[in-house]
Amino acid sequence: MPLLAALLAIAIFIVDTATPLEFAVAVLYVGVVLLAMDFAGRRGTLIVTVACAGLTLLSFAITHSGDLSSGAILRMLISLSAITITGTLAARHLRAMATVREHARLLDLTHDTIFVRNLDDVIVFWNRAATELYGWSREQAIGRKASDLLQTQFPAPFETVMGDVKREGRWEGELVHTCSDGRKVTVASRWSLRRDERDRPIAILETNNDITERRQVEDGLNRTRGELAHVARVATMGELTASIAHEVNQPLAAIVTNGEACLRWLGRAVPDIGQARKSVESMIRSGQRASDVVARLRTLSRRGDAGHTPVALPEIVNDVALLIRHELRVHHATLSIQAPANLPAVRGDKVQLQQVVMNLLMNGLQAMDGITDRPRRLTVEIKEDDTGSVVLAVSDSGPGIAPEAQRVLFDAFFTTKPDGMGMGLSICRSIVEAHGGHISASNLDSGGARIAVSLPRHADQAA
Ligand code: ADP
């Protein structure tokens, strides 16, 4: 390049000096200045500009020393202006480029992965941290489509994400990317939309943080929490064995009794078909009830990792109520359920929420054991609050929560029962919080405790 520029300058000088052309040949020095931009830097380009101007003047001095015609002077002045204007613009451009490069170098210092994509998803900038995380060099990445190169897995369809960015100017979420060696990384991603001076979107700056390890730890923690909840559920079922056996045994006994009655109606001299039919219908109803109890039990003993689906809380309470019916009788307690029709569903895992309700009802029941001066009453109240959540509150007519227990009620291993594990409320809290809700305890003025669980309504049903 420098050689080419020098040769061009010499050629222009010779033509300008040796040939009597009536044309501002020296204007062509502009080409030399432009060539210099590529290799000489800002100072060098300025020096080349001055040199070209000098050559123009020298050539003028040699060829027109005795003839200062206005045409020749005008041509020389035009050439000089062209060269100086080009030189100045070139220097300004080089300074701007240096600033941009300096900014880009700053982006290389950060540990965050940063890259810029145009609206066709083609990468136009790629920082050092991106190379370190993904394994592709800047040269390999620039010009490639980001979603192809990184095989991006989005939490929502790409069009939806792009729609959000264009509307809000930003987007945040978790993405899974594939590195050059095939490794998958989970990143917390933040996108910002760049617009031009006419407010048209032109590019997206994407900043990513590798959270693969954090996600793995969280997943492990969730698994352990799920296993613990499962163990606690099975333990609760162990406690309920007698009750459940009774719950299944009762319809079975009724089936036997009705079966015998049916045989008697049929064995008469004149068989009473009408009564026999009634006995059989009663047998079918009892069989249905026993199988309902078994079905509910099977769900409860399942490992609860069924994801988040719309769940109707009244249905959950009814399911659990069916399982603890006998327990209520043994404890001489009544259960009333108050739930308005048209309650919105919550977003959750049915089995886990059943476990929460089961724990709260069993705690209430056990708390009322020593109560003899008033009815033992359990109440489940479900209603919608004005923040878009559904609140399920279990109240009892027991002694209420002891003052010293208030602070540690939801801590693991806090128990006041001789054979208690102290895991029930702690598991309730982690389940509720994993559902984006919260749980709180208070005492009623009339005596007794009230545990309230608030869960966000299912998004599809938001007002
Ligand atoms: P556990 O039932 O094994 O003790 P929990 O975590 O379910 O474990 O309960 C912890 C403690 O909270 C109980 O031992 C009891 O002292 C208190 N508690 C829970 N529910 C009630 C309630 N409805 N009324 C009074 N105290 C309660």
Side-chain angles (χ1 to χ4, degrees):
M1 229 22 139
L3 187 65
L4 183 65
L7 287 176
L8 184 62
I10 292 168
I12 295 170
F13 182 74
I14 291 171
V15 173
D16 194 19
T17 317
T19 56
L21 288 176
E22 297 277 300
F23 165 67
V25 177
V27 165
L28 298 177
Y29 283 121
V30 164
V32 179
V33 173
L34 292 177
L35 280 178
M37 265 178 86
D38 270 354
F39 62 86
R42 186 166 160 268
R43 268 176 77 100
T45 308
L46 282 173
I47 292 171
V48 170
T49 308
V50 172
C52 289
L55 287 176
T56 309
L57 288 171
L58 179 64
S59 182
F60 181 77
I62 295 171
T63 44
H64 300 282
S65 50
D67 146 46
L68 287 177
S69 73
S70 58
I73 293 178
L74 191 66
R75 281 197 296 279
M76 186 265 290
L77 286 178
I78 289 173
S79 301
L80 277 183
S81 322
I83 293 167
T84 2
I85 289 169
T86 310
T88 318
L89 288 179
R92 209 179 281 170
H93 176 73
L94 287 173
R95 186 191 292 150
M97 288 295 287
T99 313
V100 170
R101 233 175 268 130
E102 188 49 40
H103 287 169
R105 254 200 295 279
L106 278 181
L107 291 180
D108 267 346
L109 289 180
T110 171
H111 297 290
D112 294 343
T113 299
I114 298 178
F115 55 88
V116 179
R117 304 177 274 118
N118 65 19
L119 288 193
D120 293 326
D121 200 31
V122 173
I123 299 169
V124 293
F125 174 80
W126 183 260
N127 80 341
R128 196 175 44 83
T131 300
E132 279 169 13
L133 176 64
Y134 298 119
W136 284 286
S137 69
R138 183 166 296 168
E139 292 70 30
Q140 288 169 319
I142 288 179
R144 296 281 304 272
K145 251 186 132 153
S147 49
D148 288 349
L149 184 73
L150 300 169
Q151 295 171 34
T152 315
Q153 292 170 22
F154 292 95
F158 182 65
E159 293 69 34
T160 316
V161 174
M162 282 306 286
D164 285 356
V165 180
K166 286 186 186 159
R167 217 176 23 256
E168 315 271 336
R170 57 200 307 126
W171 179 84
E172 281 189 35
E174 265 182 34
L175 303 174
V176 178
H177 283 149
T178 306
C179 304
S180 63
D181 57 6
R183 203 165 29 94
K184 294 224 182 286
V185 286
T186 308
V187 294
S189 189
R190 288 189 304 280
W191 298 11
S192 311
L193 186 67
R194 247 202 86 207
R195 296 177 182 275
D196 63 10
E197 55 287 348
R198 287 166 64 189
D199 212 31
R200 283 178 311 202
I202 47 168
I204 290 165
L205 178 97
E206 182 169 335
T207 313
N208 293 335
N209 272 308
D210 184 3
I211 54 162
T212 315
E213 249 176 63
R214 197 172 84 198
R215 194 41 71 248
Q216 278 165 356
V217 170
E218 276 173 15
D219 287 351
L221 204 63
N222 277 340
R223 254 197 316 279
T224 313
R225 200 182 285 146
E227 277 160 16
L228 189 63
H230 180 240
V231 168
R233 217 157 44 228
V234 173
T236 314
M237 278 169 51
E239 286 171 28
L240 285 176
T241 312
S243 215
I244 289 164
H246 179 91
E247 209 52 55
V248 180
N249 215 15
Q250 216 184 24
L252 289 181
I255 290 173
V256 174
T257 315
N258 279 306
E260 286 166 357
C262 177
L263 283 181
R264 272 199 308 278
W265 292 121
L266 293 175
R268 285 187 163 194
V270 181
D272 189 335
I273 301 294
Q275 289 298 344
R277 171 186 285 273
K278 273 191 195 149
S279 301
V280 173
E281 281 167 359
S282 177
M283 283 160 70
I284 293 172
R285 270 199 306 279
S286 298
Q288 203 70 53
R289 225 179 74 211
S291 99
D292 275 356
V293 174
V294 172
R296 301 293 189 287
L297 267 182
R298 292 229 321 251
T299 3
L300 200 62
S301 60
R302 211 182 60 201
R303 207 168 275 266
D305 194 20
H308 286 133
T309 47
V311 177
L313 286 181
E315 198 183 304
I316 297 236
V317 176
N318 286 329
D319 282 356
V320 175
L322 187 68
L323 290 179
I324 63 160
R325 236 166 34 164
H326 180 68
E327 206 69 17
L328 286 167
R329 274 199 299 275
V330 171
H331 286 85
H332 306 289
T334 55
L335 168 66
S336 74
I337 302 169
Q338 298 164 9
N342 305 330
L343 265 176
V346 297
R347 190 176 130 81
D349 181 303
K350 198 170 166 185
V351 179
Q352 291 185 3
L353 294 178
Q354 268 180 352
Q355 179 169 15
V356 170
V357 174
M358 170 75 92
N359 284 347
L360 299 184
L361 288 178
M362 290 300 288
N363 272 348
L365 213 51
Q366 287 162 359
M368 296 189 298
D369 261 350
I371 302 297
T372 49
D373 60 341
R374 54 183 184 267
R376 297 176 183 174
R377 223 178 258 144
L378 271 180
T379 311
V380 181
E381 200 185 354
I382 313 173
K383 57 182 179 199
E384 203 183 341
D385 74 3
D386 43 16
T387 65
S389 297
V390 182
V391 180
L392 178 150
V394 176
S395 318
D396 59 60
S397 55
I401 293 147
E404 64 276 13
Q406 297 270 6
R407 226 170 20 87
V408 286
L409 197 68
F410 295 100
D411 289 357
F413 306 119
F414 169 73
T415 181
T416 53
K417 299 170 196 166
D419 52 356
M421 275 211 298
M423 288 307 295
L425 288 179
S426 145
I427 287 173
C428 286
R429 183 169 63 176
S430 47
I431 291 178
V432 170
E433 287 177 357
H435 279 72
H438 59 90
I439 184 167
S440 59
S442 56
N443 282 332
L444 299 169
D445 293 340
S446 54
R450 178 178 188 271
I451 315 283
V453 170
S454 154
L455 292 163
R457 57 198 282 177
H458 194 268
D460 292 353
Q461 311 202 2

